[in-house]
Amino acid sequence: MIQPPLALLAELTHRCPLRCPYCSNPTALTRPGEEVDTATWARAFAEAADLGCLQVHLSGGEPTARRDIEALVRAASEAGLYTNLITSGVLLNGTRLEALVAAGLDHVQLSIQDAEPVSADRIGGYRGGHARKLEFARHVTAAGLPLTLNAVVHRQNLDRLPQMIALALELGAGRLEVAHVQYYGWALANRDALMPSRAQLDAATAAVEAARAAHRSRLVIDYVVPDYYATRPKSCMGGWGQRFLAISPAGHILPCHAAESLPGFAFPDIRTTTLREAWEASEAFNRFRGTGWMPAPCQGCSRAEADWGGCRCQAFALTGDAAAADPACALSPHHALLALALEDADRAGEAFTYREPGRLPAAPACPPVD
């Protein structure tokens, strides 16, 4: 029996004033005129609640670039969903936040690029962005909303993780997500400039463990480590078609936000397909659902129903085959590709290819699949 999803990621737009080089949006960005309209989003939220979703994450791009964001929050809230706004904060102020709260906003997840302002603005490609983020964070806590800080960490900011933890405490955040870059979309194109060293990763892990012990009663810290140093894969998004679904700005209903990077799929469109039909019956959701599709050594592995074969987008990015065993697993015949990628990163500089509409960066070349 197919269980209902727990959450919907609503990617409302690809528009964003920031140009983060680690962005997981696809390199071919959806144009504003192709975005799903307000009424269709409202129907999607009602269908998500009927399907069993408990929460909706309103994301992008920058979701507040849409002028109808208050109407969208209201529609999601009226559908009975817990509403989480995932934002850069740079387009918001106290007045706009009050309108979002009145519409039914429950939670804010605010991205930061660093704790040091000059570095943060360089990484985000937006002058003055860090100061605007801090100002908005204070509006959030003053309004009584729960605040999560999302710190995407990588080679060029990871040494300041202790300062980012201190910033979360200073701003009154209840949760901090320390998320090592996951290499899809623009992040894959910038992999060599973003990949941390093993020494940086070990120091970051120690900093998180120390902060968890020191601030247990004040701050919850979620920690997402990079697969490139792993020996076993993560359960990506809880497993393909297991706990999560997403809708892209163009209306594609997806098992994960990066799934459009995979060739050979005809993803359902929210304009012509209900969420229930997509979740339960579409070939796209069923292709990698469960364990029957798995190749060796995943098939029959004792962890098959724990990690669900790892990440299909990562398998494709590294091997060119979405059905291959995730190279993050030490048992995968492709595990050595991770070591090769780390060697390339060791030789790379720090220049970024920034996320920009119409700009198509070159991704790292994939070795041929044996």
Side-chain angles (χ1 to χ4, degrees):
M1 179 180 178
I2 299 173
Q3 297 298 313
L6 296 179
L8 167 67
L9 175 66
E11 293 195 303
L12 304 177
T13 181
H14 282 155
R15 287 173 281 162
C16 186
L18 271 64
R19 302 186 296 140
C20 301
Y22 55 74
C23 183
S24 62
N25 284 165
T27 52
L29 300 170
T30 299
R31 298 177 182 274
E34 300 169 340
E35 294 173 0
V36 174
D37 62 29
T38 311
T40 304
W41 275 118
R43 174 175 62 80
F45 296 149
E47 290 180 1
D50 180 67
L51 186 57
C53 287
L54 302 177
Q55 53 191 289
V56 60
H57 303 287
L58 303 167
S59 181
E62 171 49 55
T64 62
R66 287 190 59 133
R67 295 180 179 179
D68 60 351
I69 185 61
E70 291 87 356
L72 294 173
V73 169
R74 183 175 294 106
S77 179
E78 290 177 351
L81 298 170
Y82 183 89
T83 55
N84 175 36
L85 180 68
I86 302 175
T87 180
S88 68
V90 300
L91 299 182
L92 292 165
N93 55 30
T95 301
R96 192 92 188 273
L97 180 63
E98 289 177 3
L100 290 167
V101 172
L105 184 64
D106 293 307
H107 183 275
V108 171
Q109 182 173 322
L110 177 67
S111 66
I112 60 169
Q113 280 66 47
D114 204 330
E116 198 283 313
V118 173
S119 176
D121 289 352
R122 183 185 74 85
I123 293 168
Y126 187 89
R127 184 178 297 177
H130 185 69
R132 293 179 68 89
K133 288 169 179 287
L134 301 192
E135 180 184 1
F136 177 65
R138 295 184 177 100
H139 285 306
V140 173
T141 53
L145 281 182
L147 172 67
T148 293
L149 283 194
N150 176 245
V152 181
V153 294
H154 46 82
R155 182 200 302 173
Q156 301 192 37
N157 67 6
L158 194 53
D159 294 336
R160 288 178 293 279
L161 179 56
Q163 291 93 321
M164 286 185 257
I165 294 170
L167 180 60
L169 291 164
E170 176 190 336
L171 294 174
R175 182 179 295 272
L176 171 66
E177 291 189 357
V178 179
H180 284 267
V181 168
Q182 304 298 302
Y183 295 98
Y184 318 113
W186 294 83
L188 181 61
N190 284 288
R191 185 180 67 189
D192 291 348
L194 294 167
M195 185 71 68
S197 68
R198 181 72 207 209
Q200 283 184 306
L201 174 60
D202 290 344
T205 302
V208 167
E209 291 174 350
R212 281 173 168 168
H215 308 295
R216 189 179 308 276
S217 61
R218 292 183 56 195
L219 183 67
V220 175
I221 302 179
D222 295 329
Y223 188 48
V224 180
V225 299
D227 285 341
Y228 282 65
Y229 287 102
T231 57
R232 290 291 184 270
K234 294 192 294 288
S235 174
C236 185
M237 311 310 295
W240 182 282
Q242 297 289 331
R243 300 168 63 86
F244 172 93
L245 77 166
I247 302 176
S248 75
H252 297 141
I253 307 171
L254 308 169
C256 84
H257 60 284
E260 287 181 292
S261 66
L262 304 179
F265 279 85
F267 291 109
D269 191 320
I270 189 60
R271 298 177 181 90
T272 57
T273 308
T274 67
L275 282 189
R276 184 174 297 278
E277 289 169 340
W279 179 257
E280 295 180 350
S282 71
E283 191 276 338
F285 274 80
N286 284 313
R287 187 181 300 189
F288 296 127
R289 179 179 267 149
T291 61
W293 63 272
M294 291 181 178
C298 306
Q299 189 65 247
C301 175
S302 62
R303 290 182 52 83
E305 295 188 10
D307 59 41
W308 299 106
C311 179
R312 298 301 89 219
C313 300
Q314 181 162 265
F316 175 74
L318 288 169
T319 73
D321 180 6
D326 188 338
C329 182
L331 301 178
S332 168
H334 310 292
H335 187 64
L337 295 177
L338 300 185
L340 295 175
L342 294 175
E343 290 176 8
D344 289 342
D346 286 342
R347 295 189 293 267
E350 295 191 347
F352 292 139
T353 298
Y354 284 100
R355 173 197 190 275
E356 293 178 1
R359 185 174 190 176
L360 297 178
C366 298
V369 181
D370 293 334

